Amino acid sequence: MTTLTCTRLPMTLLALLLLGGSGTASAAAYGYSYTSVFGLVISNPTGSVTLLSNIDLSRTTATLNGSGVIHGGSNQIDAAQATRGAVSKGQNDFTQQGMGNASYARADAQIISSQIPPFPPGSTSTHTVNVAETYLAGGGSADASGRNGSTTAMAVNFVVGEPGATLGFDFRALPFMQLYLDAQAGTGSAASTSLALTFSIIDENGQIVFNWAPDGIIGSGIMGGIEASDGANLNTGYAQTPLTSGNMLTYDPSGCGSPTGTGTGTDCGAEFSAITNNLVAGSYTLVLNMLNSSELLYVPTDTSIPLPGTLPLLAAGLAALAVLRSRRHRYR
């Protein structure tokens, strides 16, 4: 009976040890990209400008593990939030949902007010907000991906009279991004977030005569005009791969912190202003385009990682095996 017991007990200990040493670290990737543009005033410092028409566009997309959705489009000012997975944030809540226990992808976009045309009635400035947020929990999945984006744009047709005219742009903006890819991400994993904001004026021949992409440097990122203030880079992004993973990257150039409330506040942000060169008489289209995106791809590694407490269990198990082996030889 003693010999039978000594044979089964090591097998039991071995099973426990294998169980204790086969745990894998949880996998995670996260991206959040947000931009709020507020107090935007488009003025006409010199010359004569006549507005003809305006087309607003609010659009959201979200994709998670191959399942996607698109909301909004042309002539919309408030696209419905696009969601996939475990989304808890509601419509027009641009604050962070953050990392949780289940994967999700969401995007939201809204033109809150616009001076062209005035809506709500009496509006004298433009306020527009975008967010794109994704999170992947490994959960033992061998391959997972999530991506989303949101775009808000306004196209305005106008005519410049003789002898020409200039347009001025003044606004404040709050950009904020965070990106994380954990250190256990395997080969092929990647995470990125980006934001973009551009102002373009196109003439009747389709030529771009003015383009402004604020990049935080006075005199840079502008063509066909002059910058007076450029408080932050509104055309930038982050990227991580397994070689650079393990740290949370945060982009907060204005020091305002993560958006609070509904994410539509106007109490913090950097200043931006620019004026076009003289636009000769003719017809033009002004396009304001704003984009936030976040894309994740997580491929778990095949390496097993001991769970906390495994090493003491392993030591105790090996000691027990040594004692049992010694007794076994003694009874023989």
Side-chain angles (χ1 to χ4, degrees):
M1 180 63 68
T2 303
T3 303
L4 182 62
T5 302
C6 289
T7 302
R8 287 183 176 176
L9 188 55
M11 292 298 293
T12 305
L13 283 170
L14 182 60
L16 287 172
L17 290 172
L18 290 175
L19 215 74
S22 64
T24 56
S26 60
Y30 174 73
Y32 174 80
S33 177
Y34 162 93
T35 307
S36 175
V37 169
F38 53 95
L40 170 61
V41 176
I42 303 173
S43 59
N44 179 207
T46 63
S48 173
V49 173
T50 302
L51 298 177
L52 299 179
S53 63
N54 178 69
I55 299 175
D56 298 310
L57 182 147
S58 183
R59 183 173 181 268
T60 61
T61 69
T63 303
L64 179 65
N65 298 325
S67 174
V69 62
I70 300 174
H71 291 315
S74 184
N75 284 317
Q76 294 197 36
I77 62 172
D78 187 5
Q81 182 180 213
T83 64
R84 278 292 181 266
V87 174
S88 61
K89 290 289 185 180
Q91 168 75 357
N92 293 337
D93 187 341
F94 299 91
T95 57
Q96 286 183 279
Q97 178 171 323
M99 292 189 281
N101 297 317
S103 301
Y104 68 86
R106 75 179 188 103
D108 213 347
Q110 182 186 14
I111 302 173
I112 299 172
S113 64
S114 177
Q115 69 173 121
I116 309 172
F119 64 84
S123 292
T124 57
S125 65
T126 297
H127 185 185
T128 180
V129 188
N130 281 356
V131 70
E133 188 173 22
T134 52
Y135 172 68
L136 288 178
S141 175
D143 195 323
S145 66
R147 64 182 183 277
N148 67 21
S150 58
T151 303
T152 305
M154 290 171 284
V156 180
N157 292 318
F158 63 95
V159 174
V160 173
E162 295 287 359
T166 58
L167 289 183
F169 303 87
D170 294 275
F171 67 95
R172 295 177 67 191
L174 169 57
F176 187 89
M177 286 189 298
Q178 282 196 322
L179 183 69
Y180 176 74
L181 180 66
D182 73 24
Q184 284 75 47
T187 302
S189 299
S192 66
T193 55
S194 65
L195 51 86
L197 176 67
T198 58
F199 299 80
S200 301
I201 296 178
I202 305 167
D203 68 17
E204 51 196 313
N205 298 314
Q207 298 297 311
I208 298 176
V209 297
F210 173 78
N211 189 77
W212 184 28
D215 61 2
I217 303 173
I218 294 289
S220 176
I222 190 168
M223 181 274 290
I226 300 173
E227 281 183 310
S229 58
D230 191 344
N233 193 345
L234 302 182
N235 292 272
T236 187
Y238 279 142
Q240 288 199 61
T241 67
L243 292 177
T244 60
S245 62
N247 296 312
M248 176 71 80
L249 303 179
T250 299
Y251 182 68
D252 183 16
S254 302
C256 299
S258 178
T260 58
T262 60
T264 58
T266 59
D267 59 345
C268 188
E271 298 282 347
F272 301 84
S273 63
I275 188 172
T276 69
N277 294 337
N278 187 63
L279 302 170
V280 300
S283 298
Y284 296 87
T285 299
L286 166 65
V287 179
L288 290 69
N289 189 64
M290 184 169 143
L291 172 69
N292 292 78
S293 66
S294 175
E295 298 189 12
L296 308 175
L297 175 63
Y298 196 101
V299 181
T301 61
D302 294 329
T303 305
S304 295
I305 301 173
L307 293 172
T310 295
L311 293 180
L313 177 61
L314 181 61
L318 291 175
L321 285 173
V323 171
L324 289 170
R325 199 172 285 125
S326 174
R327 288 179 180 174
R328 196 169 169 187
H329 285 296
R330 190 181 309 159
Y331 286 122
R332 286 180 180 176

